[in-house]
């Protein structure tokens, strides 16, 4: 295991409120990713990071922002949550960008 | 844009059956294809394939890649109830360091 911890694991919030999900890793992996998983869509990439302060957008980045101020932490922020952002969010890491991804346990977000 | 399509969407079999899961892909500059198993929580890694025709094997699971026809298969022999899961296929291209995932195949193995 790559020692990936996501928090919170479950959250219920209301439309329009800000939400931040945290991913913490202990393996000193360079690459970190945020995916969302919805029925029928598999895992879709939101944003990823290839180093401290280095981030880039994935295929479903609208409505999300990220920050990485330390190697071990990657934050995903929903500035104003919408019901369409109800999903399970997975953080993943990778050491050199070529091999397998290691996944966290997921964070289930419900936006009412 | 990279694209991954998995079939079938779902499958129900009985213990002892053999199953074949399919993954087809479109990617500009192919680098690797990965298979994951997802039970209730985080996906867990099964195989990574980079070369055509070389079978990867782990116990009752095996996988092979065809880079000419752009697909991979995952075989599970003598299925057990513990094989019940969603199986995910993903591809990585040379342009980036991201994985593009397919929608998954949900396998249910009945006793």
């Amino acid at each position: 295991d790559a020692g990936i911890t996501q928090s919170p694991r479950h959250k219920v919030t209301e439309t329009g409120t800000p939400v931040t999900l945290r991913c913490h890793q202990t393996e000193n992996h360079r690459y970190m990713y945020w995916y969302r998983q919805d029925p029928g869509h598999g895992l879709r990439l939101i944003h990823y990071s290839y180093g401290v302060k280095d981030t880039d957008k994935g295929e479903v980045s609208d409505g999300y922002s990220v920050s990485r101020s330390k190697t071990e932490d990657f934050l995903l922020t929903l500035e104003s949550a919408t019901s369409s952002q109800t999903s399970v969010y997975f953080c993943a890491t990778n050491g050199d960008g070529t091999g397998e991804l290691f996944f966290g346990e997921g964070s289930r977000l419900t936006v009412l | 844009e990279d694209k991954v399509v998995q079939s079938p969407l779902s499958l129900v079999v009985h213990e002892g059956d053999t199953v074949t899961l399919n993954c087809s892909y479109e990617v500009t500059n192919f680098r690797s294809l990965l298979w994951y198993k997802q039970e209730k929580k985080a996906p867990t890694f099964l195989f990574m394939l980079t070369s055509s025709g070389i079978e990867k094997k782990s116990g009752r699971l095996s996988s092979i890649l065809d880079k000419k026809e752009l697909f991979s298969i995952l075989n599970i022999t003598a299925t057990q109830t513990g094989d019940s899961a969603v199986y995910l296929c993903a591809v990585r291209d040379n342009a980036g360091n991201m994985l593009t995932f397919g929608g998954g195949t949900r396998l249910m193995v009945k006793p």
Side-chain angles (χ1 to χ4, degrees):
Chain A
D1 291 344
I4 303 170
T5 306
Q6 293 185 225
S7 60
R9 295 289 313 283
H10 301 272
K11 186 173 182 65
V12 179
T13 191
E14 294 187 350
T15 297
T17 60
V19 175
T20 295
L21 305 180
R22 179 180 183 243
C23 178
H24 179 79
Q25 56 124 341
T26 59
E27 296 296 315
N28 201 35
H29 283 173
R30 177 183 174 189
Y31 293 88
M32 298 186 76
Y33 308 81
W34 277 108
Y35 285 87
R36 61 177 289 174
Q37 187 171 37
D38 305 289
H41 289 279
L43 288 158
R44 292 182 291 174
L45 183 66
I46 305 171
H47 283 279
Y48 72 102
S49 169
Y50 46 97
V52 173
K53 299 190 187 304
D54 292 323
T55 65
D56 206 350
K57 296 179 180 180
E59 64 177 300
V60 291
S61 59
D62 287 349
Y64 302 93
S65 62
V66 290
S67 66
R68 190 165 179 205
S69 58
K70 298 185 290 185
T71 298
E72 57 266 35
D73 290 327
F74 192 33
L75 304 181
L76 177 70
T77 297
L78 291 66
E79 299 291 346
S80 178
T82 67
S83 58
S84 65
Q85 293 175 312
T86 292
S87 188
V88 179
Y89 292 85
F90 284 98
C91 175
T93 71
N94 177 268
D96 62 2
T98 62
E100 65 186 278
L101 297 188
F102 299 91
F103 285 87
E105 293 297 295
S107 295
R108 182 176 295 275
L109 175 67
T110 302
V111 183
L112 301 175
Chain B
E1 183 178 316
D2 299 343
K3 185 177 178 182
V4 180
V5 178
Q6 294 185 243
S7 64
L9 291 179
S10 64
L11 192 56
V12 181
V13 300
H14 287 93
E15 276 192 315
D17 289 348
T18 293
V19 298
T20 298
L21 309 183
N22 303 294
C23 175
S24 63
Y25 62 89
E26 297 174 18
V27 60
T28 306
N29 291 296
F30 177 85
R31 186 169 196 173
S32 58
L33 183 145
L34 289 81
W35 284 96
Y36 282 83
K37 177 183 181 182
Q38 185 177 25
E39 297 177 81
K40 293 185 178 179
K41 296 182 178 178
T44 54
F45 173 74
L46 294 175
F47 299 112
M48 185 169 74
L49 302 123
T50 57
S51 302
S52 281
I54 298 175
E55 184 182 55
K56 291 285 185 87
K57 193 171 174 66
S58 176
R60 296 176 294 103
L61 278 66
S62 64
S63 182
I64 197 160
L65 174 68
D66 186 327
K67 290 168 70 174
K68 182 179 178 183
E69 300 298 329
L70 308 183
F71 77 91
S72 174
I73 60 172
L74 176 68
N75 280 319
I76 308 175
T77 59
T79 52
Q80 302 171 356
T81 56
D83 295 326
S84 296
V86 174
Y87 290 84
L88 298 166
C89 172
V91 295
R92 175 184 277 117
D93 64 24
N94 276 317
N97 297 299
M98 307 165 287
L99 288 183
T100 299
F101 283 82
T105 293
R106 182 175 296 277
L107 173 66
M108 180 182 293
V109 181
K110 291 188 172 182

